[in-house]
């Protein structure tokens, strides 16, 4: 799924300014660029773009409230100097699995004064001698590098902040977003209105079914009452005939 289309579907009935977390993992980016993300996402605090084919972050909009940026398993080899301007309040940056070969590539991250956690796992730069000591010296604001602090103490798990509780991310999860319902020109909220209409129709059908059942029950009660009345009338007719027969028998006795 293309990135722009994925963003539209992720919005659902929200406006960009309502979104604080946006997960775009495994969607396609054209020409290795971030597309569909604008300055309107002014409240965004977490952005995840894992495995989307990015080669640059140059087209990242200004996201002043962004704290966590997931860029792992892409093809980024440089251009990180734009992050200080675009995302000045970043605290967590994951660049693992990218094409970062030397320390000079990450040197611009020094301008990110709030940066506490940096991941470079599976990047070529990690093969350099005294890699960890060099990075901590280059970026003194860091607390954790590749999940551990200077004393090799593991960082607390923050995955729960990336994905909702009880939900484990899978590469097929984006297929759950119904592409058939996608309308590029539809305004956010249209999907909710359609769902509301369907619910109303279902409720009307349910009420109609209840009314039919109640009507059928009433009809059965009427039939039972009519049947009882008919039986009473038949019994009365039988008793009347019996009285007539008895009276005829008495008349015959009188004649004798």
């Amino acid at each position: 799924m293309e990135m722009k289309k994925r963003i539209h579907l992720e919005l659902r009935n929200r406006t960009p300014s309502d979104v604080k977390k946006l997960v775009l993992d495994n969607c396609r980016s054209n020409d290795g660029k971030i597309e569909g993300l604008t300055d309107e996402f002014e409240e965004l605090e977490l952005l995840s773009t894992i495995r989307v084919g990015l080669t640059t972050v140059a087209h990242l909009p200004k996201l002043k409230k962004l704290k966590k940026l997931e860029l792992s398993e892409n093809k980024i080899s440089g251009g990180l100097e734009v992050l200080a301007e675009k995302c000045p309040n970043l605290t967590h940056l994951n660049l693992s699995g990218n094409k970062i070969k030397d320390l000079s590539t990450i040197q611009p991250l020094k301008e990110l004064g709030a940066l506490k956690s940096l991941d470079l796992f599976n990047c070529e730069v990690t093969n350099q001698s005294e890699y960890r000591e060099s990075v901590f010296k280059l970026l003194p604001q860091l607390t954790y590098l590749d999940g551990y602090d200077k004393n090799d103490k593991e960082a607390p798990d923050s995955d729960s902040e990336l994905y909702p509780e009880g939900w484990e991310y899978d590469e097929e999860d984006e297929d759950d977003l119904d592409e058939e319902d996608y309308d590029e020109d539809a305004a956010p909220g249209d999907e909710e209105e359609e769902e509301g209409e369907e619910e109303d129709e279902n409720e009307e059908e349910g009420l109609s079914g209840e009314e039919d059942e109640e009507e059928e029950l009433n009809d059965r009660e009427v039939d039972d009452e009519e049947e009882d009345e008919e039986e009473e009338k038949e019994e009365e007719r039988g008793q009347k005939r019996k009285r007539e027969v008895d009276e005829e028998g008495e008349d015959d006795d009188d004649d004798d």
Side-chain angles (χ1 to χ4, degrees), residues 136-162:
F136 277 118
K137 183 178 180 180
L138 182 65
L139 306 174
Q141 76 272 36
L142 279 187
T143 301
Y144 299 103
L145 174 62
D146 301 332
Y148 292 86
D149 65 12
K150 295 179 181 179
N151 300 317
D152 291 332
K153 182 179 180 181
E154 190 173 4
D157 184 14
S158 60
D159 287 344
S160 59
E161 298 181 29
L162 181 57

Side-chain angles (χ1 to χ4, degrees), residues 14-15 50 112 123 163 166 229 235 250:
R14 300 175 297 174
T15 61
I50 299 173
L112 291 169
C123 290
Y163 301 113
E229 290 177 2
E235 186 177 351
E250 291 175 358

